[in-house]
Structures are given as structure tokens and as C-alpha cells.
Amino acid sequence: AQKVTQAQTEISVVEKEDVTLDCVYETRDTTYYLFWYKQPPSGELVFLIRRNSFDEQNEISGRYSWNFQKSTSSFNFTITASQVVDSAVYFCALRNYGQNFVFGPGTRLSVLP
Amino acid sequence: KAGVTQTPRYLIKTRGQQVTLSCSPISGHRSVSWYQQTPGQGLQFLFEYFSETQRNKGNFPGRFSGRQFSNSRSEMNVSTLELGDSALYLCASSLGRGEKEQYFGPGTRLTVT
């Protein structure tokens, strides 16, 4: 069975603080893909990153970075120097090859000015 | 390239009625998935279509159905609406069914009274 857990329901930070969003996943497959999506107040989910199970390299994109660790089944997302525009609900998702996506419950991030 | 479009954006229906929602994927994308998003249940997978065939189905009653046309456009139908069907219905498209990320439309906000 596939499952994604995002233990942090809501996080509030002050602008310019760093923040890490946790994601823990469960799957029995060896080939799987992990994703992060952002859902701003406007409602449309925006794709941020995809990672496959064979590539544990961390990735950095501007102020965003992702840490994938198979040993702990985690795929955490860090925003450095957060900005008010980062305020959104962030979803972690898992997909086994050929199967449907499974989304976590989401973490609501509020960045205060 | 145009993004995923969904029509209508907002809909108000009465309990017992039926509703059809439409989704046009990104050009070239052949996989279309539907999700129901509610505050209490989060993002729940409804079904996925690829090449006009339903490939995966979530745990929803038979009142929820869908189809995909030869141009990859998709519709979902909900019959005998219940108050609990009030939700944001999201459509997502992707190139294939394997590892590719999904791109989401803005959603259809359905209110059942």
C-alpha cells in the first residue's frame, strides 16, 4: 500500500526565516516517484519537483531545496529566506510506476511579514 | 502552451441532480486524472484515463463516473448529488502514466444545496 504522511498541519514563520516541510512515504515498490506541489490561495496546484527512487541526489532550485533519503523514506522540502509569496499549502505525493498518485494531507505554510 | 482548462469554474446544484464537469488537458498529454478536494478529506483520487480507457479508480461510489475522448479531453459525471459531494474537483494531465508529473487545472467548485 502507498501512503504519504505530512505530520505538520500548519507552520507559521516570519519572513526571511528558513522552513522545512516534512514528508514521509510508504511503498513496497522499488520504482517510485516523489513530487511536491504548491497550492497558493488561488487554488491551482503548481508542480515543483519530481524525484525518482533511484536518484537520491539532493536538489536546489533558487531558495528551494529538497532532501531525499531512502533510508528514512523521507523527502523533505526546505525554503530558505522565506517570503510572503511562499504562503500556500504544500503537498507531497508518491506515485508507483503505472499507478495513481497518492497525496499527503498537505502542510499549510504562513509566512508573516 | 495552454494549461489544463476546466469548465465550468463554479457550479451550484440541488441534491438529487446530476452534474458533468469538463477538462481539457495540455496539448499532447494523454493521461487525465480527476481528484476531489475537501477540507476534511484532502486530495482524493477519483480516476485516471489514458487513451480513452480508465486505468485506475479510487474508492468512490458508482455515482462518480468519467470518460475520455479521442482528443484526450475528459468529462466526469456525478449522478444523484449528495450534500457531501460539495468540493473542489481538480483535473490533472500528464504525458504518460509512468513517472511523469501531473499538471493541474484551476478546478471546478461544486456546491450542492
Side-chain angles (χ1 to χ4, degrees), chain B residues 20-33:
Chain B
T20 299
L21 311 182
S22 181
C23 171
S24 291
I26 291 172
S27 177
H29 284 194
R30 297 169 61 195
S31 171
V32 173
S33 296

Side-chain angles (χ1 to χ4, degrees), chain B residues 54-91:
Chain B
Q54 188 180 91
R55 303 293 178 156
N56 285 308
K57 189 177 192 305
N59 189 24
F60 277 81
R63 300 184 297 107
F64 291 81
S65 63
R67 59 178 175 168
Q68 186 180 34
F69 302 95
S70 58
N71 62 358
S72 294
R73 192 178 68 85
S74 178
E75 289 181 348
M76 69 162 279
N77 184 78
V78 188
S79 62
T80 320
L81 283 166
E82 300 177 359
L83 295 178
D85 296 333
S86 295
L88 180 66
Y89 289 88
L90 293 163
C91 169

Side-chain angles (χ1 to χ4, degrees), chain A residues 11 25 32 41 45 53 71 84-85 91-92 101 106 108:
Chain A
I11 301 176
Y25 63 92
Y32 55 88
L45 275 88
S53 53
S71 60
V84 172
V85 293
F91 292 94
C92 180
F101 279 69
R108 182 177 299 278

Side-chain angles (χ1 to χ4, degrees), chain A residues 33 35 37 39 44-45 47 50 91 95 97-101 103, chain B residues 35 37 43 45 48 56 90 97-102 104-106:
Chain A
Y33 306 89
F35 306 80
Y37 284 84
Q39 188 175 36
E44 192 162 334
L45 275 88
F47 165 71
R50 169 172 61 97
F91 292 94
R95 185 177 202 183
Y97 189 88
Q99 302 299 313
N100 56 278
F101 279 69
F103 284 81
Chain B
Y35 296 86
Q37 186 176 27
L43 267 167
F45 171 75
E48 178 190 9
N56 285 308
L90 293 163
R97 299 193 59 242
E99 72 281 13
K100 294 299 182 185
E101 58 274 12
Q102 292 183 327
F104 283 81

